[in-house]
Amino acid sequence: MTESNGSIEQQRAAMPDWEKRFRAPRVSLPDWAEDAPHRALFVSNATGTYELYAWDRGTGQQRQVTNRANGTTDGVLSPDGEWIWWFDDKDGDEFGIWRRQRFTAPKSTDAVDGDAGLDADADADADAGDGDGDGVTEADAPAAPGLEPSYPGGLAIGRDGRTAVVGRSTDEDGSTIHVVRLGEEPVEIYRHRESAGVGDLSHDGSLIAVEHTEHGDAMHSALRVLRPDGSTVTELDDTKGGTVELGLEVLGFAPVDGDTRLLIGHQRRGRWEPLVWDVATGEETDLALDLPGDVAAEWYPDGSALLIAHSFEARSDLWRYDLASRELVQVPTPQGTVSGATARPDGTVEYLWSSAAEPSVVRSTTGEIVLDPPGLKSPGSVPVEDVWVEGPGGRVHALIQKPAGTTGPLPTVFDIHGGPTWHDSDSFAAGPAAWVDHGYAVVRINYRGSTGYGREWTDALKHRVGLIELEDIAAVREWAVTSGLADPARLILTGGSWGGYLTLLGLGTQPDAWTLGIAAVPVADYVTAYHDEMEALKAMDRTLLGGTPEEVPERFEASSPLTYVDAVKAPVYISAGVNDPRCPIRQIDNYVARLTARSAIHEVYRYDAGHGSLVVDERIKQVKLELDFATRHLPQ
C-alpha cells in the first residue's frame, strides 16, 4: 500500500458512519440503448459530484461523460446507443439547453476501465471539461440548435439518433414541443399556455404521445397523440374538461415497429393502474390487476409482456404480466423498495433496491450485482417500524427509526418529505440515518397529499394547502409523545422543499408544538414564491389553491408561512440555493427579514446552487450545520 493509499484508508477509518453514507460511491439504475443493449448510461457520485457515466457492458469500460461544478443528472441515451444527450443548465437553475456527445470517448479523453472509472479516489481528470469548470467541450455540441434555453419538458429520441422530440417550458411561451432533425431547423408541433410535455415517441417514429393540462388542472394530465407534422391522431381525457379529477400518464409505446399500442397509467378506480391503449383503433385493454396500492408498468423488450412495479404502504415489488395469457407472476425481490426496474432482452430484470437498513444496490434476477462501484462502502442503518395513527382525514402511515437498544422518550426529528405528491418509503436515506447516529428518533409521515395510498388521499390537500398536511403531522406528533417515543421538550420539525415549506408553516401555526425547526429550500412567502417560480409550478399552485394570488388572495394568505412568522417561537434554521427556480431566494429573504426585525433566533445558510446540491461535500456541510444547530438549541 502506498503512503497516499494509507493516508486515504486512515481518513476513512476516522470518518463517522453518517459521513461515509454520503461519501460512498452510489449508482443509479443503468438505462440501456434499445438497439444496442450492451451500451448503458448511469449516474454516480464517484468523484464527489453526481455526474453521468457511459458504460460499455461488452468491454466493461466506463467513462465519465459530464464534469460540471454543480453536477449533472439529466441524460438520455439514444436508442442506437451512439449519442448521449444531457441537459446543461447554469448553476442548478434548471434553465438551459440539451447538448449531446458520442457514446464513445471524445478524442481529447481516454476511456477507462470499469474500476478506474468509478474509483472515488481516482483523478477526476478532464473527462468532459475544458478547464473553465462548466464541463462543456467541443464534443458537447448543442443538440437542438435554434431552440432557445428553457426548462425541460420531456425528451424522446428516434431510433436513428438523428431525430428527437423536445419539450420546453418558459414563462413567455408556456409549453412548446418541437421535432428536431439533425441539420434542420426545429419544427414546432405544439404550443399551449398550460403545462405539457413529451410522453414518448413510437418505435417507428410516426407517433408522438403528449401529456397536457390544457383543461387547467396541473395535477391530472390528459393525453394527445400527434404525428410528426403536428396533426392530431387521437386524444384521451379522463378529466371531463377539468370537472373530474382523474389523471392519465404516458408509460411508453410498444417497442415493436408498426405497433400502435401505448401503455398508459390511469386513475379510474381510485389509484394508479396501467392499461394498453391502441391509438390507431381506440381499443383499451384494461389489465384489472388484483394488487392493492399504486401500479405502474413498462414493456418487456419484445412487447409480449409488461414489467409491473407495485407500490403499497411504503414498500414495493415487481411482477411480470403476460399480455396473451393474462398471467401475473411475481418477480422475486427482497422486502424494501424498488426505485427503478428494467427488463432486459434476455428476459432478466435489473432493479435498484434498498431498505431503510441496507444501502441501495443494482440487482438482477440472476442473483448478481449488476453495477457495484469500488471504493468506500456505505454502512447500513436501522430498520423502520410502521405506525398507523388515526388522523382527521383517515389513518396516517408513519415510518419510525430510532437508535438500536434505546427506549424513549428520545429527542425526535419529524422529517417531512417534499412533493407534496411523493411519499417516504422503506428505502435507504443518508439524512435520517445521520440523525439516528446522533441519538435521535426519526419520524417520517405520509400525510394527505402523499402517493401510494389512493387518489383521494393524494388529492385531499386542495385549497387548504399546507394546513391539511399539518393536521396529519400533528396527529402523529401526539402519538409519538403519548406513546413514550418522543420527548415533548425536544421535538424538531424539518424537511426539504415542500417539507421545508411545511416546517415553516408548522412553526407558525403550531408554535407551542415544536422545539426548533430546520427548513431546506422552503416556500416561505407563498405570494412572492408564486410570482418568482418556474411556470410549471405556477400551474401547480393554481391547481392546488384554485387560482392566482390575485384571484384567491385569502387562500394564499392562509397557506403562507409569512402570514404566521410573528407567531414563531422556536429557533429556525433555513438553507437555500441562490439559483433555485422552485423555491426562489427572494421569498426566503422576505421571511428572514421578518424574523430579523423582531430579533427571533434564526440562522440562514445560502449556497451557490439550485433546488438542492449534487455535490457531496456541500451536502455533508449542510448536514453538519443542521446537526450543530440542533445541538446548540435543543435542551440537553
Side-chain angles (χ1 to χ4, degrees):
M1 180 180 292
T2 65
E3 181 177 352
S4 174
N5 286 339
S7 175
I8 290 171
E9 291 303 321
Q10 290 173 1
Q11 292 175 12
R12 287 177 174 174
M15 190 183 300
D17 281 354
W18 75 264
E19 187 173 336
K20 290 178 183 177
R21 295 190 191 97
F22 284 97
R23 293 200 182 280
R26 290 190 283 177
V27 293
S28 67
L29 179 71
D31 290 324
W32 52 276
E34 187 175 352
D35 295 329
H38 64 288
R39 291 188 168 183
L41 185 70
F42 64 93
V43 177
S44 178
N45 64 336
T47 62
T49 303
Y50 285 89
E51 297 287 0
L52 294 169
Y53 287 77
W55 177 25
D56 188 318
R57 300 178 65 154
T59 65
Q61 287 185 324
Q62 294 168 356
R63 177 178 68 83
Q64 185 177 338
V65 173
T66 53
N67 182 20
R68 302 193 303 154
N70 284 304
T72 315
T73 59
D74 292 337
V76 178
L77 184 59
S78 63
D80 61 3
E82 291 296 324
W83 293 99
I84 296 168
W85 288 50
W86 61 274
F87 193 74
D88 181 16
D89 63 349
K90 180 176 176 57
D91 299 327
D93 67 358
E94 303 179 44
F95 194 85
I97 65 170
W98 287 99
R99 297 184 180 275
R100 74 172 194 165
Q101 63 171 264
R102 288 201 173 274
F103 181 88
T104 53
K107 293 181 179 180
S108 60
T109 64
D110 295 320
V112 293
D113 64 34
D115 285 346
L118 277 180
D119 190 343
D121 301 323
D123 184 359
D125 63 38
D127 218 321
D130 60 358
D132 63 5
D134 64 2
V136 178
T137 70
E138 293 181 2
D140 293 300
L147 291 184
E148 294 297 316
S150 68
Y151 297 111
L155 171 69
I157 305 175
R159 292 176 65 199
D160 61 0
R162 301 173 63 85
T163 303
V165 184
V166 181
R168 305 170 63 254
S169 173
T170 66
D171 289 345
E172 297 79 14
D173 298 330
S175 299
T176 59
I177 295 176
H178 293 74
V179 173
V180 176
R181 297 182 177 89
L182 191 64
E184 301 179 17
E185 287 293 313
V187 176
E188 183 181 296
I189 62 169
Y190 179 91
R191 176 182 290 261
H192 200 277
R193 286 302 312 168
E194 297 293 344
S195 299
V198 178
D200 197 21
L201 177 65
S202 65
H203 197 261
D204 61 7
S206 65
L207 300 169
I208 300 164
V210 174
E211 296 180 359
H212 71 82
T213 60
E214 295 175 8
H215 46 271
D217 181 349
M219 293 180 69
H220 303 94
S221 295
L223 305 182
R224 181 172 299 146
V225 178
L226 305 175
R227 299 181 183 90
D229 63 4
S231 60
T232 297
V233 176
T234 187
E235 301 193 49
L236 193 61
D237 185 355
D238 280 4
T239 68
K240 310 301 181 187
T243 61
V244 179
E245 295 176 341
L246 294 175
L248 299 167
E249 63 179 350
V250 173
L251 301 177
F253 278 106
V256 179
D257 231 18
D259 198 324
T260 55
R261 293 176 299 167
L262 178 63
L263 184 62
I264 67 173
H266 70 91
Q267 296 179 298
R268 296 171 183 174
R269 283 187 288 266
R271 61 170 187 162
W272 281 109
E273 298 178 78
L275 67 77
V276 178
W277 175 35
D278 190 321
V279 302
T281 66
E283 180 184 3
E284 297 179 14
T285 303
D286 190 349
L287 308 185
L289 301 174
D290 187 21
L291 296 170
D294 287 337
V295 183
E298 70 168 48
W299 296 95
Y300 271 76
D302 63 359
S304 67
L306 301 177
L307 178 60
I308 302 295
H310 169 232
S311 176
F312 181 56
E313 295 184 351
R315 291 172 180 82
S316 56
D317 47 34
L318 300 174
W319 302 74
R320 185 184 189 277
Y321 181 82
D322 187 279
L323 288 164
S325 68
R326 290 184 170 264
E327 183 181 17
L328 184 67
V329 178
Q330 188 163 13
V331 177
T333 60
Q335 180 171 308
T337 295
V338 175
S339 53
T342 183
R344 296 279 292 168
D346 62 2
T348 61
V349 174
E350 296 177 352
Y351 57 95
L352 183 64
W353 174 90
S354 73
S355 70
E358 299 182 62
S360 62
V361 61
V362 181
R363 297 177 178 268
S364 169
T365 50
T366 64
E368 298 176 342
I369 303 300
V370 176
L371 190 58
D372 186 20
L376 179 66
K377 300 301 180 184
S378 173
S381 186
V382 297
V384 293
E385 303 172 20
D386 296 87
V387 170
W388 292 88
V389 177
E390 289 298 330
R395 291 201 314 157
V396 184
H397 189 195
L399 303 173
I400 314 298
Q401 288 176 281
K402 60 183 179 181
T406 60
T407 58
L410 297 168
T412 301
V413 175
F414 289 76
D415 189 2
I416 311 303
H417 73 73
T421 52
W422 189 243
H423 66 273
D424 275 317
S425 62
D426 182 6
S427 58
F428 197 75
W435 287 108
V436 172
D437 283 3
H438 286 79
Y440 296 85
V442 176
V443 178
R444 289 180 286 168
I445 303 165
N446 285 331
Y447 51 76
R448 277 172 288 175
S450 301
T451 53
Y453 301 86
R455 178 176 58 84
E456 289 186 6
W457 190 260
T458 301
D459 290 351
L461 52 75
K462 283 189 176 181
H463 298 175
R464 293 184 60 246
V465 173
L467 304 173
I468 284 177
E469 300 96 295
L470 286 170
E471 290 175 354
D472 294 342
I473 293 168
V476 176
R477 177 199 176 278
E478 179 66 17
W479 167 86
V481 171
T482 57
S483 70
L485 171 70
D487 181 348
R490 295 185 292 172
L491 300 181
I492 300 174
L493 185 60
T494 186
S497 190
W498 196 265
Y501 158 64
L502 293 176
T503 294
L504 296 185
L505 189 64
L507 295 179
T509 59
Q510 304 166 352
D512 296 318
W514 309 104
T515 314
L516 59 89
I518 299 174
V521 290
V523 173
D525 169 2
Y526 218 142
V527 174
T528 303
Y530 175 87
H531 289 302
D532 290 359
E533 68 193 3
M534 58 202 302
E535 180 60 34
L537 292 185
K538 290 180 182 178
M540 177 63 78
D541 284 338
R542 291 194 297 270
T543 297
L544 289 172
L545 290 157
T548 68
E550 292 70 33
E551 293 167 339
V552 287
E554 71 287 350
R555 291 178 181 170
F556 274 83
E557 181 180 11
S559 293
S560 178
L562 188 66
T563 302
Y564 313 98
V565 64
D566 291 337
V568 172
K569 298 179 181 179
V572 184
Y573 176 88
I574 298 174
S575 61
V578 297
N579 302 309
D580 191 345
R582 298 174 181 268
C583 299
I585 194 67
R586 183 168 72 107
Q587 51 95 27
I588 292 174
D589 289 341
N590 292 347
Y591 185 90
V592 171
R594 290 280 293 274
L595 291 175
T596 302
R598 63 184 186 88
S599 300
I601 299 173
H602 70 282
E603 295 178 14
V604 182
Y605 173 66
R606 298 173 177 85
Y607 55 93
D608 188 18
H611 199 61
S613 177
L614 299 175
V615 179
V616 173
D617 280 341
E618 174 60 38
R619 184 69 186 111
I620 289 172
K621 179 181 180 180
Q622 293 175 19
V623 173
K624 285 181 176 178
L625 289 171
E626 292 173 1
L627 291 166
D628 176 67
F629 185 81
T631 299
R632 287 185 286 111
H633 293 285
L634 208 64
Q636 299 302 310

